[in-house]
Amino acid sequence: MEAQQIRDRITAIASQRETLVRLLEQPDLGTLRIDVDQALEELDDLIDEFHRTFPDAKATG
């Protein structure tokens, strides 16, 4: 996979982070809250790793 493809995919994934944050704010989430919280943590880890690998690249999150 080319570096630009990785950048594009990570940027697309990172742009969806706000959707998980909004979902986490739902009061009737129940036990799904644990999974959403875990997904946010993993997404943040992915974005951090992306920035360490491509320090000049931009990704939301």
Side-chain angles (χ1 to χ4, degrees):
M1 185 178 290
E2 303 244 350
Q4 187 58 45
Q5 288 176 314
I6 294 170
R7 288 182 182 106
D8 293 344
R9 288 184 180 194
I10 296 298
T11 301
I13 291 168
S15 71
Q16 298 300 312
R17 185 183 185 281
E18 186 60 34
T19 302
L20 288 173
V21 171
R22 284 194 310 267
L23 183 60
L24 195 59
E25 294 171 352
Q26 298 298 315
D28 59 346
L29 203 55
T31 59
L32 187 59
R33 179 175 304 282
I34 296 167
D35 295 326
V36 173
D37 190 46
Q38 180 67 33
L40 271 171
E41 287 180 24
E42 291 181 17
L43 180 58
D44 289 343
D45 288 346
L46 177 69
I47 293 169
D48 288 343
E49 182 67 27
F50 171 74
H51 286 293
R52 283 193 297 274
T53 305
F54 300 102
D56 61 328
K58 300 287 185 221
T60 59

